[in-house]
Amino acid sequence: MSYKVTLIPGDGIGPEVAQAARQCLEATGIRFEWEEVIAGSLAIKEFGTPLPEYVLKSVRKNRIALKGPIITPIGTGFRSVNVALRQELNLFACLRPAKSIPGVKSSYSNIDLVIVRENTEDLYAGIEFEEGKEETIQLINILQKLQPKKIRKCSAISIKPISVTATERIMKFAFEYALKNKREKVTAVHKANIMKFSDGLFLSIARKIAKQYAGKIEFSDCLVDNLSMQLVKNPEDFDVLVLPNLYGDIISDLCAGLIGGLGIAPGANIGNGIACFEAVHGSAPKYSGLNKVNPTAMILSGVLMLRYLGEEKAAVRLEEATRQVIAQGKFVTYDLKERRDDPTAVGTREMAEAICERLR
Ligand code: NAD
């Protein structure tokens, strides 16, 4: 049997790391039928839109996708394809394990954290009002009637919805993940002391759901600013972290830093019976086409995909092969070398090839 998977190579360094992951996944012996589709800046040239309908159709049909990163222009240009994909396909949970790998230069050696980020709402919902626009002025006028705090007329406004439905769903996902994966504790991260209603709701639902798992999974909560400090000081105090969208995004990069960088941080976006696997990192345009960047994050995203498919043995083999190549330190990219200008660093393709070699 073979698995039909939508492959979205992405743009920037996306196609290079996606190809590396594809090659390593195939080297496990599991059979895949890839349905390759284009999204991002390449799709604009061909379809006039960064997220053509046929991409969504393909993922909806195959129920599983492997995706390279896609550029999002800052401030202007098209909205994030990555965020749109998660919203359109209702991939409500973003799962990002951050686990130390021996051989990777880092101030920490025993990091084993899992981030569960809510993917569909919060300030990432994309409900925004541009400064000076008619509807923005209207909104400001309405808000002035509804509450006493002054809002400057020259403001831009982004809306932060946090719902009971989405919060219950993400909390259940985090606790079920903890249970299935034999984790001990879930920590809900928030800023409920300031955002009493939105983050307050997130926290109160976290407490409610935690009660259903009492005696099985420990629960704590932490303010996001305090968590940022605690993670750097005492990362071993945490296990599974569950966060609203924006904090989840920021803390994911922090955790990637704890394990030694974005080059080794994998991720998955999961909905009901549908999932899209992608690295935490972006499209790093300055390295595009140079066969230079680290393919590990994307390969380990492939490991998460194998686990999701129930191919545990292949997942363990690919994870181990990747860890061995890194531990050996010979066929690794520049970012995994002691010095970044080490001339013995290999390229993306060569590192992937070394991993495949261990699987044969
Ligand atoms: P980035 O993650 O692309 O790169 C930041 C830096 O991290 C790079 O300059 C590089 O030094 C390092 N890095 C990233 N990936 C690496 C790898 N595989 N190996 C070695 N080093 C690596 O972040 P950015 O520069 O802020 O964003 C670039 C673009 O990517 C933006 O348009 C952003 O919106 C987009 N982005 C996309 C996704 C996604 O597709 N899911 C995620 C984050 C950012």
Side-chain angles (χ1 to χ4, degrees):
M1 126 175 207
S2 73
Y3 294 103
K4 197 159 185 189
V5 177
T6 300
L7 179 68
I8 311 170
D11 53 28
I13 58 167
E16 299 163 63
V17 290
Q19 174 56 28
R22 172 182 179 162
Q23 194 186 334
C24 290
L25 282 162
E26 284 170 353
T28 62
I30 302 291
R31 302 230 312 267
F32 295 97
E33 196 186 321
W34 304 101
E35 191 167 293
E36 194 168 325
V37 293
I38 59 168
S41 44
L42 301 174
I44 293 187
K45 281 184 206 135
E46 199 168 327
F47 298 93
T49 164
L51 185 54
E53 191 51 38
Y54 91 117
V55 174
L56 294 168
K57 223 167 139 185
S58 170
V59 189
R60 281 197 189 105
K61 174 172 59 86
N62 296 327
R63 314 300 294 170
I64 190 151
L66 183 67
K67 175 189 159 295
I70 293 174
I71 195 165
T72 308
I74 292 181
T76 56
F78 60 83
R79 281 197 175 273
S80 170
V81 173
N82 310 302
V83 174
L85 256 175
R86 294 168 199 158
Q87 287 174 347
E88 287 287 332
L89 300 170
N90 207 7
L91 303 169
F92 62 85
C94 179
L95 186 69
R96 291 176 164 177
K99 193 170 171 193
S100 297
I101 302 182
V104 178
K105 203 170 46 161
S106 161
S107 314
Y108 305 85
S109 57
N110 278 320
I111 301 290
D112 187 6
L113 296 160
V114 177
I115 289 177
V116 175
R117 164 186 172 193
E118 203 290 323
N119 246 350
T120 63
E121 43 185 37
D122 191 7
L123 285 164
Y124 272 55
I127 308 167
E128 295 207 287
F129 294 84
E130 197 177 339
E131 186 269 320
K133 284 274 163 74
E134 175 56 31
E135 57 270 26
T136 314
I137 307 289
Q138 273 179 38
L139 178 66
I140 291 172
N141 288 339
I142 292 169
L143 290 172
Q144 296 296 206
K145 283 186 198 139
L146 293 175
Q147 56 83 53
K149 298 250 166 59
K150 279 263 158 277
I151 304 171
R152 290 188 184 93
K153 289 268 190 252
C154 57
S155 299
I157 296 184
S158 301
I159 304 287
K160 175 178 164 119
I162 300 272
S163 70
V164 172
T165 308
T167 309
E168 281 182 352
R169 189 171 63 176
I170 198 68
M171 290 302 160
K172 283 183 189 147
F173 181 96
F175 279 96
E176 282 301 314
Y177 176 89
L179 212 53
K180 277 197 202 102
N181 292 277
K182 303 191 173 40
R183 314 289 305 205
E184 284 172 9
K185 184 164 89 171
V186 170
T187 302
V189 183
H190 59 90
K191 190 75 185 164
N193 55 335
I194 304 296
M195 280 160 281
K196 293 189 186 298
F197 297 142
S198 51
D199 282 24
L201 181 66
F202 189 82
L203 176 59
S204 71
I205 289 172
R207 287 181 172 146
K208 185 183 89 180
I209 303 290
K211 284 198 187 119
Q212 299 170 9
Y213 294 83
K216 291 187 236 162
I217 302 289
E218 205 188 313
F219 173 73
S220 70
D221 73 276
C222 194
L223 291 167
V224 66
D225 42 354
N226 183 22
L227 177 85
S228 308
M229 191 267 290
Q230 297 294 346
L231 276 176
V232 173
K233 272 186 80 179
N234 307 307
E236 66 283 354
D237 287 355
F238 300 95
D239 187 350
V240 176
L241 302 169
V242 56
L243 314 90
N245 214 335
L246 175 64
Y247 309 148
D249 190 15
I250 298 166
I251 298 297
S252 294
D253 272 34
L254 192 158
C255 289
L258 295 179
I259 58 169
L262 281 168
I264 59 168
N269 298 296
I270 301 173
N272 289 323
I274 183 164
C276 175
F277 297 82
E278 63 175 335
V280 174
H281 65 70
S283 57
K286 69 179 176 192
Y287 294 120
S288 174
L290 300 180
N291 185 38
K292 188 171 166 80
V293 295
N294 191 344
T296 302
M298 198 64 200
I299 293 169
L300 293 180
S301 303
V303 169
L304 294 178
M305 184 172 98
L306 287 171
R307 290 223 156 88
Y308 178 86
L309 292 170
E311 297 290 353
E312 182 62 26
K313 245 166 96 181
V316 170
R317 284 182 68 227
L318 179 51
E319 188 171 16
E320 268 315 298
T322 309
R323 291 171 78 89
Q324 282 165 12
V325 166
I326 293 173
Q328 190 199 27
K330 197 168 170 199
F331 298 103
V332 294
T333 46
Y334 74 100
D335 57 314
L336 295 179
K337 290 286 185 183
E338 197 58 42
R339 285 183 27 233
R340 289 191 154 225
D341 58 356
D342 186 331
T344 68
V346 301
T348 312
R349 277 195 297 276
E350 292 70 25
M351 182 165 173
E353 189 46 48
I355 294 167
C356 290
E357 202 50 51
R358 285 180 185 259
L359 291 164
R360 285 184 190 122

